[in-house]
Amino acid sequence: QLEVEVTDISGKTIDGPVRLDISVIDQNDNRPMFKEGPYVGRVMEGSPTGTTVMRMTAFDADDASTDNALLRYNILKQTPTKPSPNMFYIDPEKGDIVTVVSPVLLDRETMETPQYELVIEAKDMGGLDVGLTGTATATILIGDKNDHPPEFTKKEFQATVKEGVTGVIVNLTVGDRDDPATGAWKAVYTIINGNPGQSFEIHTNPQTNEGMLSVVKPLDYEISAFHTLLIKVENEDPLIPDIAYGPSSTATVQITVEDVNEGPVFHPNPMTVTKQENIPIGSVVLTVNATDPDTLQHQTIRYSVYKDPAGWLEINPTNGTIVTTAILDRESPYVQDNKYTALFLAIDSGNPPATGTGTLHITLEDVNDNVPSLYPTLAKVCDDAKDLRVVVLGASDKDLHPNTDPFKFELSKQSGPEKLWRITKINNTHAQVVLLQNLQKANYNIPVSVTDSGKPPLTNNTELKLQVCSCKKSKMDCSATDALHISMTLILLSLFSLFCKSFP
């Protein structure tokens, strides 16, 4: 759009200004261009003729209202050319690419490759020979349908496994013509017969698609030396409606179990028995029983001690009778919660011999075989003390009730016209020692006896050492400045006690 005016030589306007419109007429100087690539389309194998795969669209910068930008599309080249050189057709006006072959020819498994490349031409001027052209490549991928069932490579597989062993015993191989990257190829295995005890399992190897058959419960040769399994294979994805699984999708596995020399088994295990502690040496504890699972072999069994922490037991190697070789002691550190545990071996005569282990728990019943102990054994008091309660004595016993408390506390008889101390029961386990008068600074031995409640009862005669000290300004001086004060009566009682222990 221009404005034009006429002026004279002096610059005076003679005419105008007048608007002048100039129209620029388009020439076909721009080629069609494909700007949205790469162009990739997908179509499933077996799709009906005329199935749309993708759309190709080109752009032309010329005037859209003229033939200069009127585009027409054409397929220049198809790679590969099999099974037909014209697998696809492109709508010349819309650019839609559709299939033109029958579903039978659109079979991924019979193609050289499941990928086709089309060179697409876009020509302006409505496709006339004088038009300008542009090209692009369309890649078409043929998708897989599950139209081929998996098939075992053979009808029967063989496997051998030793009894008592678990793990993979054989890999079952299958073939499948479908795409390995899809569920149409991936196999799922099922044991459909021969596994009533659930001794076998089968899983798919994700890399090879093989079926890994495993023993998950150990097999017993003596029960069955042979097993026959019927196994079927299917795909993760369902087959298309007109395809079915055939006989080749099942196979038989023949499994042979090899005999192994198994160790004897104790019955029961663990074994339990209850005995009193302190039973005589040589007492029979138990006769164990072990049997050999190898019933088809005639083997003998011998017994031995495996673990006997305290060294209290021995076992007859032939008949399995366990007897004591020492005194059983419930208070031993080898006894936990009144229970002593020992282990024994049963060894068969196989080559090589096999061994089984049995556990024996002996519950020990308590016997009154421990005298009570007294604490403390030392007490201190000031010679001018106002509180003459010297000490609280306690007693303990390693035995169990009723062989422990209540305890009986007593003082040996004191000589002289006046008594110096007395003992008073506080409760079942404690007693109070009280001075009856202040004593001179010295060391005194107070004979005390403590008796448990067992039947028969046991008595512990001990001495409480009493230190009478001088106390000044809250300081206690217990240095022995005076002679030891102990009556002749106490000495005689101690000698008599020792005499009684020496000659029961």
Side-chain angles (χ1 to χ4, degrees), residues 177-222:
R177 297 168 62 188
D178 292 313
D179 184 0
T182 66
W185 177 81
K186 296 177 181 177
V188 178
Y189 296 87
T190 307
I191 302 173
I192 59 177
N193 195 13
N195 190 28
Q198 306 302 310
S199 298
F200 303 93
E201 286 183 0
I202 188 165
H203 300 280
T204 304
N205 185 320
Q207 281 73 41
T208 65
N209 219 26
E210 294 177 344
M212 301 182 295
L213 180 62
S214 303
V215 176
V216 293
K217 293 182 180 179
L219 303 176
D220 191 339
Y221 173 85
E222 284 71 31

Side-chain angles (χ1 to χ4, degrees), residues 31-51:
R31 294 180 178 275
M33 297 180 62
F34 291 91
K35 293 184 176 181
E36 299 176 357
Y39 297 92
V40 180
R42 291 175 173 81
V43 63
M44 296 300 292
E45 64 173 334
S47 296
T49 302
T51 300

Side-chain angles (χ1 to χ4, degrees), residues 440-445 466 468 479-486:
Q440 295 181 4
K441 180 180 178 183
N443 292 333
Y444 298 85
N445 287 337
L466 176 63
V468 179
S479 57
T481 55
D482 296 333
L484 179 67
H485 286 250
I486 183 168

Side-chain angles (χ1 to χ4, degrees), residues 25 31 56 100 103 120 149 178 195 200 247 362 390 408 477 494:
I25 300 173
R31 294 180 178 275
M56 298 287 290
V100 293
I120 306 299
D178 292 313
N195 190 28
F200 303 93
I362 304 176
V390 176
K408 180 180 179 182
D477 180 11
S494 297

Side-chain angles (χ1 to χ4, degrees), residues 17 34 39 46 71 137 211 274 300 421:
F34 291 91
Y39 297 92
L71 303 182
T137 299
T274 300
T300 59
W421 43 71

Side-chain angles (χ1 to χ4, degrees), residues 42 113 177 181 212 219 231 244 253 279 282 304 308 359 372 417 420 444 456 486:
R42 291 175 173 81
T113 171
R177 297 168 62 188
M212 301 182 295
L219 303 176
I231 297 176
V253 183
I279 59 176
S304 65
D308 179 18
T359 302
L420 301 179
Y444 298 85
I486 183 168

Side-chain angles (χ1 to χ4, degrees), residues 380-385 438-444 467-482:
K380 297 180 180 181
V381 66
C382 295
D383 56 0
D384 58 352
N438 289 110
L439 301 177
Q440 295 181 4
K441 180 180 178 183
N443 292 333
Y444 298 85
Q467 291 184 334
V468 179
C469 312
S470 60
C471 302
K472 295 179 180 180
K473 296 181 180 181
S474 302
K475 291 184 178 181
M476 181 176 284
D477 180 11
C478 297
S479 57
T481 55
D482 296 333

